[in-house]
Amino acid sequence: MTAHPLNSVDEIVLVVHGVGDPQPGETLSLFARSVAESHNPLTEHQEMLWLEDGPSAERDVRTFASHLRHLEFDGNRATLAEVYWGDISRVSRGMLGIIWGLVQIIFGLRYVAFVASHQSGFAANTLQSIGLISSRILHGPVLAVNFVLAAMMISVIGTEQLWPGSSQAIGWANLLVLECVLVCLSASMVGRSLTRNEMVHRFWFWVTVCAAFLGVLMLINVLTHHPFPLLRYCGVLVTLLGAQWMSLVVVLGALFLCWGFAMLHRQNYRPALHVALILPTIAIGFWGLALPVMWTTGARTLKNSMPNPESFDKLFAEAAPLLGLQFVMAVLLGMLMIYHLARYLRCTQSMSVEQFLAGRRAPRLIVDGSVQLLAAVCAVVGIALMAYIGVHEFIGNRTHDNWLCWLLTEANKYALVVIVPMGGLLVLSMHYLRSGLDIVLDVVNHFHFRATLAADKTDEEADFDIVDVTFNAGHLYFARRDAIHRRMKRILDYFRAHVHGRPTLTIVSHSQGTMIAIEVINDDELAWINEKFSRVNFITMGSPFHHIYQKYFRHFYPPLDDPFWNNLRHRVSRWLNIFRIDDYVGTDIEFPGTLPQVQSGAWSNHPVQRRGHQFYWRDRQVLTVIRANKICRSLSNQTATTVRKEAA
């Protein structure tokens, strides 16, 4: 059968994938196969549509592909197109991809915290600034000192393995320090040239500062003839780390203080303030546990190969006075989360659609209030104990002279025995946690931002939507989100230019893809959409719109009857929200009963049986709901056949 031209199409169906990292065209293939009937299978033949993705930093034009399927049924014609954004989300497969995704989450929590605290009042603004300060300390000087310290420790271990006792030689020690300084400075220069990321540049800047400090210290010791062995230089860096952690304790205290005052402001949305408080606390707690475990484990493992193991062990003996306590806190949080997971599974396994419609709901899994409360209590206890230890060290008391400090130090020994194998088990179980990590990473990418630069003003009008009318130097620009939105807009623009008549537009989306579609439909740039398409139908599956974004970021995503959503309300004729009753991400959307679309049943929720958050595209229950509501004609018709399309 010959292919039909686009100007004769009766329906355009956009498929927007969701969580995870599908391959280009994979979601569309799953959806197209699901459309096919067993007695009338779908013969696959795709067309690749190449569209411009905008100019890059080098001013060359990038492109992206949209896979197409063309269908014919009862004389009607439909074109299915995929909005693919998996490459922009930067999620990759395999264990290395999982670990890289976890690293992105750890470094990206600051974006979510910043947006959560973007509210009214001086206290909220200060909370926002302090959250950024904590991130800049952690991912700047703290990690930089650890980087230089790691280079120094490699020098110590290497020289002792080759020439035992050489680390005590003053001249040789100064030579090795000079080598480490040069290596760190060279790494900083190369690292800054390979990326434009502001946070990475800040890290390499602090590596340069730390290496320069070490070089100046070595020069002073050479000129003053002070005997400084290699371990003494390492001791100076460990002292710097201790001072930085004490500054983070002060930052955390200020964070809690600003959070308390921000909570008193009537216009502020409290769940978002909780997020703005908890996420920096989690980031500090993570590094406060991970870095001491790394150093103390390494010290205990390698000290026996050193000529003076006591001094080597002492270097890190008090580097983590709260390691045991942090481990207990992590265990308590883990047990509470497992308890809520068990409650959630028990409830969902015994729940039916009828019970859900009757008002029964599963307990909240992302994120329960009791988990937030326990995390806050653990943070307060940790701050108080760190301040207590810091005061004792400042007045000159030895740690072992105080029973509480001694108890915390002794607890480190037992914590290490348990933490290291548990970390190994966690790495091995990452594959099973992949779905949860992908969801968190989607939220991080959604709020990933950078400040606009003066150079952005000279970019082409289509690039990032930054034009003279909207440009404001220093204004937040949600880079990845806007890049994804731009792809969907350009696909719609293509059909606007090449399709004649006024076909129906149906958008079918899943998970994070529903957020992309919701925001694009509401965008002011799509004022033409109702003129070009006779109807705009919208299908969301497993949408986090209400359960996550409106729950924790309502100051950015108000109720649907708010004037903010005027464009969305006027453009969408039908909205079908489908969700599984055990979906921990996407549940029912809060459609205000005062809206005409809700009163007429044009906007409606449809729960289906349990099958989790994924694989909506090939779920027979989901397809049955779509067909029954006749919202997508290419799905509603039972005799769909394939129209072959030759590749362009």
Side-chain angles (χ1 to χ4, degrees), residues 154-173 175-176 179 230 305-308:
I154 291 173
S155 298
V156 172
I157 295 168
T159 189
E160 283 296 330
Q161 292 296 320
L162 293 175
W163 300 287
S166 59
S167 62
Q168 304 297 316
I170 304 304
W172 182 247
L175 184 62
L176 285 179
E179 178 192 5
L230 275 178
S305 63
M306 304 298 293
N308 190 359

Side-chain angles (χ1 to χ4, degrees), residues 512-584:
Q512 184 65 25
T514 66
M515 296 301 302
I516 297 167
I518 288 171
E519 294 191 316
V520 169
I521 295 173
N522 195 56
D523 197 302
D524 290 335
E525 291 186 7
L526 264 68
W528 55 266
I529 195 167
N530 289 116
E531 298 176 2
K532 182 61 183 178
F533 299 104
S534 59
R535 290 173 60 86
V536 177
N537 298 324
F538 193 22
I539 300 174
T540 51
M541 304 182 296
S543 174
F545 177 69
H546 177 63
H547 195 59
I548 295 180
Y549 288 93
Q550 285 193 324
K551 168 67 178 178
Y552 299 106
F553 309 99
R554 190 170 284 257
H555 57 303
F556 272 81
Y557 298 95
L560 285 169
D561 57 357
D562 190 89
F564 178 80
W565 301 110
N566 279 342
N567 291 337
L568 180 70
R569 290 197 302 270
H570 288 99
R571 293 170 185 172
V572 175
S573 304
R574 294 281 307 279
W575 186 344
L576 197 68
N577 180 54
I578 306 172
F579 61 95
R580 300 191 180 113
I581 56 176
D582 66 336
D583 193 331
Y584 55 91

Side-chain angles (χ1 to χ4, degrees), residues 125-137:
N125 293 332
T126 308
L127 177 67
Q128 187 179 63
S129 300
I130 293 176
L132 276 184
I133 289 172
S134 68
S135 173
R136 286 172 177 173
I137 294 175

Side-chain angles (χ1 to χ4, degrees), residues 69-81:
R69 297 286 190 277
H70 299 278
L71 306 178
E72 183 176 334
F73 51 95
D74 289 348
N76 296 316
R77 295 184 174 96
T79 294
L80 278 65

